[in-house]
Amino acid sequence: MAGSAADERPEIQFHDGIAHKWETLHRGRVFRQRTAAMFKLLDGADLTHQIWVDAGCGTGTLSRRLAERGSSVMGFDASEEMLVVARRPTVHEPSKSVTAPSFQLIKTIEHLPMPQRSCDGVLCASVLEYTSAPERCLTEFSRVLRPGGLLLLSIPNRPSLPRRLFKIAYAISSRLLPRPAFRYLQHSVFELSIRSATELLYKHGFIVLGHNFAGSSFPAVLDRTSLVGTLINIVARRDAADPISKPPF
């Protein structure tokens, strides 16, 4: 999707532009805390010999973390610059016992190059908010997952007070500055509460098994609350039945 395709999609251009510093951000305290919170939802799960998809893998940081758990991981992303970094052997050298993830450029995670019911897990970390059709992405995740497979998802938390303040700051700075603060909010649009996320996932054939909150720069005791954490992390199981529309409430 290099060239004209990327030119037509400002959210891809944005991620191309930050690819060079993405690994550095992941090594910072806030990103490390949000990654730890997300993967805590997989505590106790045996991922050995499983097949996982990282939908919107970026530079592959989380793909490699899944691979370290014994999974075979395929990372897909629409940002060519992110994948350039992901494929560099100097980013992370896996141990000899770990199969390195593979990475592939695709146009959108709304269409994954995987057969139906071929995966044990799908990881989608802070990506749905940048897509044009989040529900189509969930339909696709349901399609590629085997019954009982897991979806590990993070998405912006609508009730988060810091996120609301960031949006106000972006609205003001975008009128005053050539490079406004919180520029990602121009593209990060889709957000949910845990209740609406649970309903939406149920509609697409998923049962929520657990969730937590993370993502802000506040101390963990506050970051883990629904009014502060800017992200909702969710682990859900693909139901054996076809997706249904009746909410669980």
Side-chain angles (χ1 to χ4, degrees):
M1 206 190 50
S4 61
D7 293 341
E8 295 170 2
R9 297 176 63 188
E11 73 277 12
I12 304 304
Q13 288 183 312
F14 172 75
H15 284 90
D16 281 344
I18 63 174
H20 66 285
K21 62 182 180 181
W22 200 238
E23 286 290 313
T24 301
L25 287 172
H26 268 280
R27 289 191 289 270
R29 179 182 66 85
V30 173
F31 272 63
R32 285 189 287 109
Q33 286 185 178
R34 65 190 254 184
T35 297
M38 187 179 198
F39 275 80
K40 185 174 178 60
L41 295 173
L42 290 179
D43 280 359
D46 183 4
L47 308 186
T48 308
H49 305 305
Q50 289 195 350
I51 297 172
W52 275 70
V53 162
D54 187 350
C57 61
T59 56
T61 302
L62 304 186
S63 299
R64 288 183 286 272
R65 184 150 181 166
L66 282 172
E68 290 167 0
R69 296 278 296 266
S71 298
S72 175
V73 184
M74 287 155 286
F76 300 106
D77 205 281
S79 168
E80 189 167 22
E81 293 302 318
M82 286 282 189
L83 293 183
V84 166
V85 179
R87 290 170 177 147
R88 289 177 186 166
T90 55
V91 172
H92 283 279
E93 292 289 351
S95 68
K96 292 182 179 179
S97 61
V98 173
T99 301
S102 62
F103 299 106
Q104 182 177 334
L105 184 71
I106 60 173
K107 185 175 181 180
T108 171
I109 60 170
E110 294 170 24
H111 303 287
L112 297 171
M114 300 292 294
Q116 182 174 342
R117 299 194 175 192
S118 61
C119 303
D120 300 292
V122 171
L123 167 67
C124 186
S126 298
V127 178
L128 285 187
E129 63 265 32
Y130 296 102
T131 63
S132 60
E135 289 207 47
R136 283 209 295 266
C137 297
L138 292 176
T139 298
E140 183 70 347
F141 300 163
S142 181
R143 181 188 71 81
V144 303
L145 276 170
R146 299 185 178 111
L150 295 179
L151 172 63
L152 185 60
L153 176 72
S154 68
I155 195 164
N157 176 29
R158 182 184 295 156
S160 168
L161 295 178
R163 182 170 167 88
R164 293 183 192 180
L165 291 174
F166 296 160
K167 291 169 74 172
I168 293 170
Y170 170 73
I172 295 171
S173 64
S174 63
R175 291 176 172 83
L176 302 175
L177 302 173
R179 290 179 63 84
F182 309 109
R183 288 186 304 132
Y184 71 94
L185 288 170
Q186 178 183 354
H187 312 289
S188 173
V189 178
F190 186 65
E191 58 186 12
L192 295 169
S193 67
I194 183 56
R195 181 185 177 94
S196 59
T198 300
E199 292 175 340
L200 183 62
L201 287 166
Y202 194 81
K203 172 183 173 182
H204 290 274
F206 292 99
I207 304 297
V208 171
L209 304 178
H211 74 276
N212 59 36
F213 301 94
S216 79
S217 59
F218 287 87
V221 66
L222 296 174
D223 191 36
R224 296 186 187 120
T225 65
S226 62
L227 289 180
V228 175
T230 55
L231 293 173
I232 310 171
N233 298 311
I234 296 171
V235 63
R237 184 183 66 240
R238 169 69 165 93
D239 197 3
D242 290 332
I244 47 183
S245 58
K246 182 180 178 183
F249 300 103

